[in-house]
Amino acid sequence: PPPLAAGPRPASVPLSFAQERLWFLHELTGGGAALNNATALALRGELVFGALERALAQAVARHEVLRTVYRVEDGQPRQVVEAPSRLPLPLIDLSGLGEEAAEAEARALAPAEARRPFSLAAGPVLRLSLLRLGERSHRALLTLHHIASDGWSLAILVEEVAAGYRASLAKEPRRAAPLPLQYADFALWQRSWLDAAELRRQGDFWQEELAGAPPALELPTDRPRAPLR
């Protein structure tokens, strides 16, 4: 493949092939929550709300894919990077319920939040909400759409927000180097490399490799196959 480098970029960019697949599945399933990546983080000790808010805003400003929306232009999905803006950070106070009841309520709210769908066209594709269980006990519910994240990148985001939070508490500027490449740069590079001839070449390879493969993977199960997954 040619070298991967950032270059001039139009106002809207085609999706990478992986993003296009996820966009299609999102539309096919009616925009449900099957493609949500969610995690719940226990925060112990005093929480400075403003410092966390600033750390989240810094991470979103640094990573364009966290503020990208996906709109259809001329029948094709395109990604549009929006300007950095303040992300809502709702706080739900459960501390008045008592320790056990607050914990039970948090355990109920976490999966409900994880199942809340995203609008890829309107954005954002990232949500963070806070549950206050007590004076020094909080739960952070972080959810991203799979079109913008996976388990590996989710961990990077948590690390960056934590580093930004520590820097904000210490009243030090967060010294994170600008990213030399953004995901939109990769998408443009991938599309320019995998042109019609290259796609045909790779498609021909796999057609030959998979010639004679069974049309479906029939596994023994204890129930008949459902008409829909």
Side-chain angles (χ1 to χ4, degrees):
L4 172 54
R9 229 199 270 165
S12 70
V13 174
L15 277 60
S16 71
F17 288 106
Q19 283 180 318
E20 190 172 45
R21 180 171 65 250
L22 293 166
W23 178 88
F24 172 79
L25 290 172
H26 180 89
E27 295 295 309
L28 182 69
T29 56
L35 297 172
N36 287 8
N37 282 332
T39 188
L41 305 169
L43 309 178
R44 306 296 182 194
E46 183 184 357
L47 179 65
V48 181
F49 188 84
L52 181 60
E53 203 171 31
R54 286 189 293 274
L56 179 64
Q58 289 168 354
V60 172
R62 187 165 185 257
H63 296 273
E64 289 181 355
V65 74
L66 298 178
R67 45 190 172 88
T68 296
V69 294
Y70 304 86
R71 296 173 182 147
V72 176
E73 297 178 7
D74 298 325
Q76 294 295 321
R78 307 274 295 185
Q79 52 180 315
V80 178
V81 179
E82 299 201 316
S85 61
R86 188 169 182 170
L87 199 69
L89 187 55
L91 174 64
I92 301 173
D93 193 350
L94 306 175
S95 58
L97 301 177
E99 187 175 344
E100 288 189 10
E103 181 64 35
E105 183 66 12
R107 289 183 180 277
L109 288 173
E113 171 63 17
R115 287 192 296 266
R116 203 151 57 89
F118 287 100
S119 168
L120 298 185
V125 292
L126 159 69
R127 289 194 302 265
L128 180 65
S129 56
L130 284 175
L131 309 178
R132 186 197 300 275
L133 280 65
E135 189 68 27
R136 297 175 61 81
S137 178
H138 294 76
R139 196 71 45 82
L141 306 180
L142 177 63
T143 312
L144 294 94
H145 194 281
H146 195 21
I147 202 169
S149 70
D150 54 17
W152 181 77
S153 55
L154 197 65
I156 290 177
L157 176 60
V158 171
E159 290 173 6
E160 285 207 10
V161 172
Y165 179 75
R166 289 191 294 268
S168 184
L169 287 183
K171 295 183 170 52
E172 296 176 352
R174 172 91 167 93
R175 294 185 177 87
L179 296 173
L181 289 168
Q182 297 283 349
Y183 194 85
D185 298 316
F186 167 78
L188 281 172
W189 168 85
Q190 186 188 55
R191 290 284 178 172
S192 66
W193 169 40
L194 297 176
D195 58 13
E198 179 63 18
L199 279 179
R200 189 162 51 250
R201 185 188 71 79
Q202 295 198 19
D204 290 346
F205 170 83
W206 286 110
Q207 289 283 352
E208 184 177 342
E209 286 290 304
L210 299 174
L217 182 61
E218 298 291 352
L219 297 175
T221 62
D222 58 352
R223 295 180 181 86
R225 185 189 296 272
L228 289 175
R229 191 162 70 95

